[in-house]
Structures are given as structure tokens and as C-alpha cells.
Amino acid sequence: MEAQEGTQQPHLVLANKLFLLSHSDVPDIEKVQLRDEVFASVKADDMAPLYETLVSESVLELDQGVMDSMRAKNQEELKKLDEKIADAEENLGESEVREAHLAKSLFFIRIGDKEKGLEQLKVTESKTVAVGQKMDLVFHTLQLGFFYMDFDLISKSIDKAKNLFEEGGDWERKNRLKVYEGLYCMSTRNFKKAADLFLDSISTFTTYEIFPYDIFIFYTVLTSIISLDRVSLKQKVVDAPEILTVIGKIPYLTEFLNSLYDCQYKSFFKAFAGLTEQIKLDRYLHPHFRYYMREIRTVVYSQFLESYKSVTIEAMAKAFGVTVDFIDLELSRFIAAGKLHCKIDKVAGVLETNRPDAKNSLYQATIKQGDFLLNRIQKLSRVIDL
């Protein structure tokens, strides 16, 4: 089913509800309402194949009458679509034949039949000449990929779209593809690339079929904070007018961004705590929840320590509004993992920073590579002498 301009694709709304149904942090009373909404959506679009899958996974209970009714409607509609294709092939032109095949593709996507939907999209593509129309078919495939979180399908579709753009293609579709690719990168933990793609799309965003603009800004801010340096964050995010007009609608996000940039660490931790629930209950961010929590803490601790050669643990704990024991445990983990360049003097209760010298580390790496190259040359010369 195609989404109207400015609204999220209904299948992706349904996918989010299915995700929340499987989430352990969602209260049972909310799940009752979610289950009713999922069943209503499935019934409204006669999604017999998806209903069958959800029943087999014990997400929904089987109502045989509803199942039989949906299957009968599907068969009837499929028969009409096949007749329309046959009529177009016999009596009409190539564009009408393509439109008839596209209608059948969208029918399979609407009822939740992934395999037949992909198969029919390939048939439709074989009837398609224009690059723009081929791109639209790729977007349908991408939406199907995000519904099932099929990252292999998404990756191949993005590569296919890029190859199509080499043949031509308009800027509007190119900009839409950036958002799809950004979502894919974020979903596969490539936050740096996701941030770059999202920031490139802020002023040209039209991809309402996968998420609303405020959710897009939410993803842009979250990925940018752990990917950009302070100067870039100020220019591209903190002062960006497109972000400023929307950020206030998202709870805690303004405080989260501004308190980090303004070094108000106590406020940052409070906003951070408020955002964790939203990140945890996000379908695309949930698998990376623990990783993101670690990365954002690395960013904020590194920013604090950058201002000092040495600082007492008590002063740092006070700045963050936490206990000395908590900050001691936190820092020891990050130092052991090589995420923070400092050492703890437990006796004196002091943190001493030992920031790596970039020139010195580059010099050491060059020496190491030179030694390795000399060893290889010596081994090769022995072989040649023999």
C-alpha cells in the first residue's frame, strides 16, 4: 500500500507496533491495545499471509472465520488483477501493462506476502524503461526490506539504486535515497555515515513514507552527537534552523544536545536518562542501545577531561551529579577498554590525563611499518639468493 504524501507508510507503522508487542519493557496493558490495533490493521488490508505468520508465532490468536474471509478476498482481487494484466497485454500499450503489473506488486506488498511481492516487483521492472520508475520500484523494495528488517535485501537495493543513478535520475529521488541509506547505516551501527547522510538531507527531506520529520531530526541529533567534533556539531546541528524548529517537540532532546555543547554535565545526565526509554523502544536503535549508551558516555567524559591535565574524582562526580564510587567504576571500565586516555590515582583521588600525541603516534607507526618492510625485503632477498 502506498503512503500519501506527508504520512508514514502504513506497513511501517504496523511493523513498529509488532516490535513493541515483542518488547519486554512495554507494559502488558499497552500490549492489549497494541494487539487490537495490529489485528485491526491486518483485517483492514486483508493481510492473510501475514496473519498466518503472526498466528504461528503466537502474536495473534486464530479467528478461522476472519482467515477464510481474507483468503477469499485475496483470491478474488488477485483474479481481477490477472484479468487486468491479460487485458492490458492484449488491447493496451506498454505503459498500461506496466501499471497493471505494478498494481499486482503493490497488492502482494499490501497483504504481507514478501516473496511474491519481490517476485512481482522484478516482473514489473522488466516492463519498465524509465530510470525514475525503476527507482520507485527500488523504494518499494526498500520499504519491504525495512518492514522485515532484511538488511541483505536493503543493502542490495541501495547498491542497485546507486547504479541506476549512474544512468540518470532526478535530485528528489537521490535525496530520498540518502535518507533510506542513512536509516540502513544507523540500523547496522554505522553512526558516522548515517549522521553525514541525514545532515545532507535536512533541508530536502521528503521521505515521509518511512518516518515523520520529527523522528528524522531525532535520529540526526543522536547520530551526530557521537560522530561530529564540537565545531561541526555547533555549525551543523546546534545552530541549524531546520533542527531548531522541530527539536522542541521531542522530549529531552533540546536539553540533551545543548547541555552537552554547553558543558552542563549534570543537566546532560538528567536529559540522557529521559531519552534512554525512547531509544530503547525505537525499532531501529534498540539492537544498539547498550553500544550507543557507551559511546555517548565516552564522548561526554572525553569532553570533560579534555579541559584538565589532572582533576579530582570528587570534582568530576560533582560536575556530573553522581557519586564518587559511580564515576570511579565508570572511568575504570572505559580506561580498561581504551576509550579514555587517563589514569586514576586512587590514593590521591585524582584523575591524570595522558592524551596521545598524534605526531608521536604517527612517528611510531611509521617506524613499525618500516621495520616490517625491511624484514620482508630481507626474507625476499634470501629466497632470490637461493
Side-chain angles (χ1 to χ4, degrees):
M1 182 185 284
E2 286 185 282
Q4 295 175 355
E5 191 175 342
T7 60
Q8 193 176 4
Q9 218 268 2
H11 272 41
L12 294 178
V13 176
L14 176 60
N16 193 56
K17 288 176 181 176
L18 288 169
F19 164 73
L20 293 174
L21 266 178
S22 65
H23 204 296
S24 57
D25 287 355
V26 176
D28 289 340
I29 193 157
E30 285 184 31
K31 285 185 178 180
V32 172
Q33 187 181 345
L34 281 168
R35 199 169 280 110
D36 289 342
E37 289 173 5
V38 166
F39 183 65
S41 298
V42 167
K43 195 176 173 183
D45 281 333
D46 298 316
M47 303 172 79
L50 182 64
Y51 185 39
E52 204 171 324
T53 304
L54 295 176
V55 168
S56 68
E57 292 173 355
S58 303
V59 177
L60 296 177
E61 291 179 6
L62 177 62
D63 184 325
Q64 195 61 51
V66 172
M67 178 71 87
D68 293 341
S69 172
M70 286 196 292
R71 282 175 175 163
K73 286 179 183 176
N74 287 346
Q75 286 172 1
E76 187 183 337
E77 192 168 346
L78 189 56
K79 187 181 175 184
K80 286 179 184 176
L81 288 165
D82 286 333
E83 286 172 359
K84 193 175 178 182
I85 289 169
D87 178 56
E89 287 174 343
E90 285 179 27
N91 307 311
L92 302 169
E94 289 179 0
S95 63
E96 286 82 4
V97 171
R98 180 196 173 275
E99 289 303 316
H101 278 288
L102 177 60
K104 190 175 178 180
S105 303
L106 296 178
F107 163 73
F108 283 129
I109 293 170
R110 193 196 80 205
I111 65 171
D113 195 328
K114 180 187 175 186
E115 300 309 319
K116 287 184 180 176
L118 291 172
E119 193 179 311
Q120 189 58 38
L121 281 168
K122 285 179 183 176
V123 175
T124 308
E125 188 186 358
S126 68
K127 309 287 181 184
T128 305
V129 178
V131 173
Q133 290 180 334
K134 284 184 178 180
M135 271 304 308
D136 290 338
L137 295 177
V138 174
F139 287 133
H140 285 305
T141 308
L142 284 167
Q143 288 164 23
L144 206 53
F146 281 117
F147 180 85
Y148 291 99
M149 296 299 260
D150 184 341
F151 293 123
D152 184 50
L153 176 64
I154 295 166
S155 177
K156 287 176 180 174
S157 298
I158 288 170
D159 291 340
K160 186 177 181 179
K162 287 178 178 177
N163 291 332
L164 281 170
F165 280 134
E166 289 177 8
E167 299 173 25
D170 57 86
W171 282 106
E172 193 266 337
R173 288 185 175 94
K174 283 183 180 180
N175 289 326
R176 283 176 66 200
L177 182 65
K178 283 182 183 178
V179 180
Y180 278 92
E181 189 180 359
L183 182 58
Y184 166 71
C185 291
M186 187 184 78
S187 303
T188 52
R189 205 176 281 185
N190 188 350
F191 291 116
K192 176 75 176 76
K193 190 173 181 183
D196 291 340
L197 288 163
F198 286 153
L199 287 166
D200 279 350
S201 310
I202 280 184
S203 57
T204 56
F205 180 84
T206 56
T207 324
Y208 297 101
E209 68 271 16
I210 51 172
F211 40 58
Y213 190 63
D214 57 337
I215 297 296
F216 169 68
I217 294 299
F218 174 66
Y219 292 154
T220 304
V221 172
L222 289 189
T223 53
S224 297
I225 278 179
I226 62 170
S227 305
L228 303 181
D229 56 61
R230 274 180 63 81
V231 176
S232 300
L233 190 69
K234 174 74 170 169
Q235 290 173 346
K236 296 180 180 180
V237 182
V238 176
D239 290 341
E242 295 90 352
I243 290 176
L244 289 171
T245 54
V246 178
I247 195 169
K249 297 177 184 177
I250 304 155
Y252 303 106
L253 195 59
T254 304
E255 297 89 338
F256 183 67
L257 175 62
N258 291 335
S259 58
L260 173 66
Y261 185 77
D262 296 335
C263 305
Q264 301 295 323
Y265 300 111
K266 198 179 290 188
S267 302
F268 173 81
F269 257 35
K270 285 178 183 175
F272 181 47
L275 270 180
T276 52
E277 193 71 12
Q278 196 170 344
I279 297 169
K280 198 185 290 185
L281 294 177
D282 185 274
R283 185 167 173 253
Y284 304 106
L285 288 170
H286 171 72
H288 317 295
F289 175 71
R290 288 181 180 278
Y291 174 81
Y292 188 84
M293 294 296 108
R294 284 197 301 273
E295 287 301 301
I296 194 66
R297 281 168 15 232
T298 303
V299 168
V300 74
Y301 293 149
S302 297
Q303 181 175 291
F304 176 85
L305 292 168
E306 207 171 310
S307 308
Y308 301 95
K309 181 69 179 170
S310 64
V311 62
T312 64
I313 301 173
E314 188 179 348
M316 187 171 179
K318 190 177 180 182
F320 282 90
V322 294
T323 64
V324 170
D325 289 341
F326 174 83
I327 211 78
D328 182 43
L329 182 63
E330 278 274 272
L331 293 179
S332 59
R333 285 175 183 163
F334 285 108
I335 292 166
K339 295 279 188 181
L340 293 176
H341 302 288
C342 64
K343 58 183 180 180
I344 301 173
D345 184 340
K346 190 73 175 173
V347 177
V350 171
L351 288 165
E352 293 180 9
T353 58
N354 52 357
R355 286 186 290 276
D357 184 340
K359 283 185 180 178
N360 188 42
S361 60
L362 186 63
Y363 173 74
Q364 295 296 337
T366 306
I367 295 293
K368 197 173 182 180
Q369 287 169 358
D371 287 343
F372 177 72
L373 181 62
L374 284 171
N375 288 336
R376 292 293 297 273
I377 292 168
Q378 285 171 356
K379 285 179 183 177
L380 187 61
S381 66
R382 287 193 206 110
V383 172
I384 293 168
D385 289 342
L386 289 171

